[in-house]
Amino acid sequence: MPRNDDTLATRKPVAPLGIIPLKSCEPLGDKVDAYLVKWRKNRKSDHLDFVEKASYSSDSYKISVSTPRFGSGEAKGQINESVRGLDLYIMVDVTNYSLTYSLCGQTNHMSPDDHYADLKRVIAAVGGKAKRITVIMPFLYESRQHRRTARESLDCAMALQELVAMGVENIITFDAHDPRVQNSIPLHGFESVQPAYQFIKGICKHVKDLQIDNDHLMIISPDEGGTGRAVYMATVLGVDMGMFYKRRDYSKIVDGRNPIVAHEFLGSSVEGKDVIIVDDMISSGESMIDVARQLKKRKANRIFCVSTFGLFTNGLDSFDKAVEEGLIYKVVTTNLVYQTPELLSRDYYISCDMSKYIAYIIDTLNHDCSISSLLDPYERIDKLITKYRKGEY
């Protein structure tokens, strides 16, 4: 049962609930739907009238949609059942490259642009008939292009403005590269959710000999941009934190960015300590592995690479090698983005399931309740660590 069940049992929903997980997000959407079905069937609904009760408890809240493509590669959005008056939650994973489509007889893998275009097609197909639309986009589209440093486009801000112009009221994302992009839509809802609790839960579940204190554990930020994330985790765990900053060569550009010359470390000694490197994403993984190598030179013990999004754009070979060399002990990411079967098969990999958390958020918002307690997991982390130290977890 949800932790805020008592509150929800006395509130009426804003409107009947509808979930649209696009094809890119179907496995995660199915899990979220299962949680909602289970909770609502067990929850008291005596305060609802006959009509409200009929839509409140359901065998599924998923709405069938499709985005068929023509031979030219063009597509359209299609809603296959009524969405009139629903409180809609549309889920999309813009990084799911495993999906393909035919383009003039050639097989194309779907890019973030394709997924974003499909999201807009589905919103357009809704045609303003829903009561409210919330977009759940775990990896925020174009979030790495969040600021202008030269004469270049501001893609993330443009995308957010485009979505709210189409009628989207709330946008929920996870660990946005820079949450300040919400300044582009100041009159609409934008939440960047941190999965700190799920990270700690995942590590505690799979590693039983972790000593969570200042003498045996340290949190590291691999760059200056992720310092806030590391400071929060270090504070709730009661341990030290350190950070690296990336020294770059600004005289040239490689793959759209200035290449990193070296990682410089700021912080106390890591000698003999287990270390958690926490970041928002693992893209190629070069930075994470380089930071792990630097920490090993400073005589760190076990190294955990923790990231919200495991993209692994260059494959897993470099991580396999780093684990063999003893640089990395565990890699921890979430199921918010597509996970390859190869990744899931690795012994060193820990997957943190976010479906229950997303279901909590959807359930709470549908009842028009505050999600503040869900966004701050301090109490849950504290209880988990207390149980772990007693050997009860």
Side-chain angles (χ1 to χ4, degrees):
M1 297 286 278
R3 60 198 296 272
N4 54 352
D5 200 64
D6 292 340
T7 306
L8 302 191
T10 59
R11 295 286 290 260
K12 289 191 174 187
V14 173
L17 177 62
I19 304 173
I20 301 179
L22 298 190
K23 200 172 180 183
S24 60
C25 219
E26 268 185 343
L28 184 62
D30 288 341
K31 288 184 176 182
V32 170
D33 185 48
Y35 276 116
L36 291 166
V37 168
K38 178 184 170 187
W39 294 340
R40 294 194 172 202
K41 281 188 174 175
N42 295 329
R43 184 179 294 150
K44 292 179 181 177
S45 54
D46 299 336
H47 61 296
L48 304 179
D49 62 35
F50 179 77
V51 176
E52 289 167 336
K53 275 186 181 180
S55 61
Y56 190 75
S57 181
S58 174
D59 291 331
S60 177
Y61 298 99
K62 285 176 65 180
I63 304 295
S64 172
V65 302
S66 54
T67 50
R69 289 187 178 260
F70 303 104
S72 59
E74 297 165 291
K76 64 178 178 180
Q78 190 171 309
I79 308 285
N80 301 322
E81 55 189 285
S82 175
V83 294
R84 189 175 293 276
L86 296 186
D87 184 19
L88 279 184
Y89 294 82
I90 307 175
M91 300 173 64
V92 59
D93 172 15
V94 297
T95 65
N96 191 341
Y97 63 89
S98 70
L99 301 179
T100 60
Y101 63 93
S102 178
L103 172 60
C104 298
Q106 305 294 316
T107 299
N108 261 21
H109 285 267
M110 288 188 71
S111 70
D113 291 346
D114 291 319
H115 288 298
Y116 176 64
D118 277 356
L119 169 65
K120 290 193 293 180
R121 289 178 180 116
V122 169
I123 295 170
V126 170
K129 301 302 183 289
K131 172 80 172 177
R132 185 173 70 177
I133 296 177
T134 299
V135 168
I136 299 177
M137 187 186 290
F139 185 95
L140 186 61
Y141 174 68
E142 288 288 359
S143 57
R144 296 170 85 175
Q145 187 51 27
H146 61 284
R147 64 182 176 184
R148 180 177 279 154
T149 54
R151 185 67 68 205
E152 55 190 24
S153 57
L154 279 169
D155 296 61
C156 191
M158 287 195 303
L160 292 177
Q161 290 186 350
E162 198 170 16
L163 290 176
V164 300
M166 294 182 75
V168 175
E169 285 197 29
N170 299 298
I171 295 166
I172 296 170
T173 189
F174 284 79
D175 212 349
H177 197 62
D178 188 339
R180 288 175 294 183
V181 294
Q182 67 186 289
N183 294 340
S184 62
I185 49 167
L187 301 180
H188 291 79
F190 180 96
E191 298 293 348
S192 178
V193 185
Q194 294 291 336
Y197 171 70
Q198 284 77 14
F199 286 152
I200 296 165
K201 186 178 178 182
I203 292 171
C204 288
K205 185 178 178 181
H206 290 86
V207 182
K208 296 302 180 185
D209 60 344
L210 199 65
Q211 290 182 269
I212 304 173
D213 59 50
N214 219 15
D215 297 323
H216 299 93
L217 184 65
M218 196 165 172
I219 310 296
I220 301 291
S221 172
D223 55 40
E224 60 277 19
T227 309
R229 194 181 296 109
V231 166
Y232 179 83
M233 193 176 284
T235 304
V236 295
L237 293 177
V239 300
D240 265 347
M241 69 84 59
M243 67 164 279
F244 284 83
Y245 71 90
K246 296 171 182 173
R247 195 146 49 84
R248 295 181 180 270
D249 181 356
Y250 289 101
S251 66
K252 54 188 173 183
I253 294 175
V254 178
D255 293 333
R257 60 182 182 175
N258 303 106
I260 298 166
V261 176
H263 287 91
E264 306 289 354
F265 181 65
L266 301 172
S268 56
S269 172
V270 297
E271 187 173 346
K273 293 182 181 179
D274 288 332
V275 172
I276 296 175
I277 309 170
V278 59
D279 205 0
D280 61 333
M281 74 177 79
I282 295 174
S283 185
S284 65
E286 289 174 15
S287 293
M288 200 67 103
I289 292 169
D290 194 27
V291 165
R293 187 171 281 110
Q294 295 293 330
L295 289 169
K296 277 295 182 183
K297 285 180 183 176
R298 291 168 172 80
K299 300 180 181 178
N301 189 22
R302 296 177 298 183
I303 294 176
F304 297 80
C305 291
V306 176
S307 173
T308 307
F309 307 109
L311 304 180
F312 303 103
T313 54
N314 289 357
L316 297 171
D317 291 346
S318 58
F319 279 91
D320 292 343
K321 190 176 177 185
V323 171
E324 281 176 26
E325 291 175 8
L327 289 179
I328 293 171
Y329 180 62
K330 295 285 184 185
V331 176
V332 185
T333 72
T334 70
N335 65 339
L336 290 169
V337 294
Y338 171 67
Q339 298 164 299
T340 63
E342 292 77 23
L343 176 64
L344 294 170
S345 70
R346 296 299 194 265
D347 292 335
Y348 60 80
Y349 179 65
I350 297 173
S351 176
C352 300
D353 184 12
M354 300 298 293
S355 57
K356 193 174 186 180
Y357 195 17
I358 294 173
Y360 277 143
I361 292 170
I362 291 174
D363 205 19
T364 307
L365 288 176
N366 181 237
H367 287 81
D368 220 14
C369 292
S370 170
I371 60 171
S372 298
S373 61
L374 288 173
L375 299 180
D376 183 7
Y378 176 78
E379 287 182 15
R380 281 174 289 156
I381 293 172
D382 194 45
K383 285 178 184 175
L384 175 66
I385 296 304
T386 303
K387 276 186 177 181
Y388 183 79
R389 284 174 174 152
K390 290 179 180 177
E392 296 172 3
Y393 187 81

